[in-house]
Amino acid sequence: MNLQLKLFLPTFLLFIGIAAAMHFYWLPNYIAFEEEHQIESEQSFIDVLNTALLPDLLNNDLAKTHSTLDKVLADRQYWQSIKLYDNAERLLYPLEETQLKSRGKLGVMTHDINFEDNKVARFEIWIDFEAAQREELAHLYQLEILLLSILLIAAVLTSLLHDRWIRQPLKQLANVASDIALGHYDSKMEYHSSDEVGRLVAAFNSMHQQIMQREHDLVVSMARNKAVIDNAADGIITIDIKGRIEAFNPAAEKIFGYSSVEIIGQNIKILMPEPYQREHDGYLYNYLSTGVKKIIGIGREAEGLRKDGSTFPLDLAISEVQLDDRRLFIGIIRDITERKKIDKMKSEFISTVSHELRTPLTSIRGALGLVLGKGAKDIPAKLLRLLETANRNSNRLTFMINDILDLEKISAGELDLQFEIVSLSALAKRAIDENDGYAHSHKVKLKLLDNGVENTTVRVDQYRLLQVFANLISNAVKFSKENDSVTIEVKRIDNKVRVSVKDNGPGIAAEFSSRIFQRFAQADSSDTREKGGTGLGLSISQAIINQLGGIIDYKSVIGEGSEFFFELPCCDDGNKTTTPDENPPSILICEDDADLAQILAEILHQNGYSSVIAPNAENARLYLQKGPYQLLLLDLVLPDANGLDFIAELRKTEDTRQLPIIVISGKADEASKNFNGNAITVADWLQKPIDFERLSSAMSNLIEHDQRSRILHVEDNLDVIEVAQALLEGEVNYDYATTLSEALKKLAEHTYNLVIIDISLPDGSGLELLAHIERGCPVVIFSGQESSAEISKKVDATLTKSISSNDELITTVKRLLKQTN
Amino acid sequence: MNVRHVNMTAMLSRLKWLPLLLFLSNGTVAGEVYSVGIVPQFESRQITHIWQPILKEVSRRSNIQLELKASPNMVAFEKQLKEGVFDFAYMNPYQAVTSQQMQGYMPLLNDNGRKLFGIIVVKKDSPIRSVQELDGQQVAFPSATALGATLLTRAELARKFNITLNGLYVKSHSSAYLNVITGTAIAGGGVQNTLLQQPDAILNKLRVLYTTDTVPSHPISAHPRVLPPIQAAIQQTFLDLGNDKKGRQLLANIPIKKIGPATISDYEPIKNLNLETFLTGVTSQ
């Protein structure tokens, strides 16, 4: 319904209402009233007529009487007839009896005309009441029509005025608004009035002006932004959540060799070499499903693929923006080919120079050493001091060059580590010995606290770990006051060992904490000259510890001192002397939040499980390489990897394919949904904060259902048993017997998946057992003496102690167990 | 004070004549308005209806302003005549004689084509065949003084037949005829003119029983105070009316068939009819 109709309708309805009220209520009521009063009214007229006629009748003036009555009849059409009789009942009027015309409802009214109590004459009046009403009605209808006509004219006039004053301006306004909506901003409305419509138009015109101004501002702003983007030195690329390129600025065109026309709409993968190209969808999918950011918001180096197929290094920064309901990713790309070239040249230069410096420096040090060693007593004291200064500084220069070379190696990924299992306590003692002279020269005492960890072994590169010790101890000594002491503590924490070096020096300011492990970082630049050192020590130490699978960090309180510590995974079972059967399954906790990891470990411990903590994926990989675990508790968000990727990686690796994994994550629910297809690979998903009861039940389910192979090792030498147990623990359910009789008893009582036999036993030959071993159960001879060909035929494998390596034993056991399974 | 009043009156009189002189210089006498009385033969409305157009036309033609002066009834009219109220008057022949005697009204014009006579009517189906049967009966007359209808008839019947009629005076000729039709009166007195003017419904119900001797018709007389040239102008104008169709139509309504000049000598015979006898009776009533 248009406005015109809406404006007209109320007036029209009002008109209809009034007309209806008039026609159906007022008029009938009025007619009823009139009918009621008609006879009364006729009577009063007859009274008047009586008065008029009386004198004429008294005068016998019939002519006047006739004339009067003729006029009355002419006036009152509905009076059908008047008959006038004199007192002798002679008809005075009319001259003849007349026929009554009307067929309607006739009424007769008679009236005597008296004078002084004498009857003069008598009326008989025939009245057609219907005609009277008709006449009255005709008058009323005329009146009604007149009123309704006036109303109708008023209604039409109102509508016309509404149309002119309201609808026409609004229609014009609507047209202008439509024009503006279509972008015709020059469309304008001229209407000046102080009424509401006028105010509306004024407000509209004002809004119109504002829109025009804002559009202008927007155009200017967009042009400015476009100019910035077009002229940016860095490539700026916008993609949608499916990876389709939406914008590609001129710098990006220049970097990649594509024009924006040909690249827009393509997938961003086209700009990446393998393996990034293949993996990109996965990154995007992982981010969108887990919200775990690998690149977004974090700058990183990557490789780009130009249109001509060449690749180049680039710096990539990706940020995410939300525009309306759409998520977009903006990538800023900088071609760092030149920078890389320069970096490489710089590294090569430093390496070359350092190596070139080393040779003459070796000669200088050698010469100085010879002079100071052999001819010291012949040198005057003054000269000796100078020579000692020269020697000390040549030593420092050597360290510095070594440090620089180490750093170059580390950054080039060329640090070659020689792993071996060593006692950390022994290593700490050696480090103290090596650095004692330096400490002594600073009048600082070195103290070692290593109670109870004498047997703790770690798998490390001794030389590099000593380098870390040296760095931490020399730093602590440097910042200690004279006669103070530096404490080196070796402490076992579950399956890790922590080494801390603690001083009572000035401490490290909190604002420096983020840079402490950076190269050439020193809390106070004046420290270099005051305290000596290259500023590379902590950076090198961190690189070494990370490569050894540990972590390094520090705690410090200003004015009280600092404590630098590193943690390394143990490769022994500590001092625990439990039998293999009673030993609870070992669990690996991969969690970067140290506090949560500790809580989890404690809970597991209370439940009778031992556990080790890996703060990152790299560390977890090292633990998993070293030994089998019954369960992995995995946080999805790790500092160096996406948990989901890590699970996939574990599933691809032979050793960890079947490893039960419980995921612990703040996003466990969300991630589990996206992991539906592979749900079997994850035993359970636990949402943070963790419901420990659920964790406990999930673990006991998993571990109770553990169907590990059961092995019996028959061996009289307890050292061998200890080594084998250490080797096989986790892989199998290890059981052992030291005598033939004990072995027979165990074989009778239990079913074993594999039996390892030493031939020479205190109470007989191990070969006797062969007859008692179930068919199908593989047997490995592991003996000091070489087995004959005949024996070899009877068993599945033969190994000779001292010749066969540990690895060989494990491999053989695993292979045979796999075959039987 | 008195002296001064006289002077002012004289001054005003001079001023009063000034417009008249002005009109005269234009060949008109429009300044003075002359009253015209009409004998109330009919209802006053009818009289006005007949005479107003005639006076208007005469005024237009003569440049003499004439004004109709109505009289509610015969008695009033005769009193006005007696007092000389009217400048001109249309009256019955008897009144022409009496007004001449009392005020000096002089007849100027009358209907040369018709003489006045009285008639006696009865109902058409009435058994009465002669006037003798009316002796002592109630007869309707317009008024006691109506010349044709009452005086001429009563005087002649008494003179010739020695009949006395019991008069019922019913205000008008029409009323007299109606009284006959309704039976209130056995017969009625009237004149030929008024009878013929009745609608057919009345006319067809009546029968003329008797006709009297004739007298000259009603004259238009002038009061002697009206200046002779005015009288002459009026007389001529009326005579002129008789010369054209429109004028004749107007005069026919009076009714005057053929207008012509009249003199007082035309009316001398009326004096011998002894009409006074009947009037005296009326007057004494």
Side-chain angles (χ1 to χ4, degrees), chain A residues 245 248 253 256-266 270 307:
Chain A
I245 297 171
F248 202 72
E253 288 179 336
F256 288 97
Y258 286 100
S259 73
S260 63
V261 178
E262 60 187 327
I263 199 76
I264 282 174
Q266 302 262 22
I270 198 173
K307 189 182 179 184

Side-chain angles (χ1 to χ4, degrees), chain A residues 67-79 82 93:
Chain A
S67 165
T68 306
L69 292 177
D70 284 346
K71 268 188 278 152
V72 166
L73 277 179
D75 281 354
R76 297 175 94 81
Q77 301 265 324
Y78 59 95
W79 278 20
I82 306 173
Y93 182 91

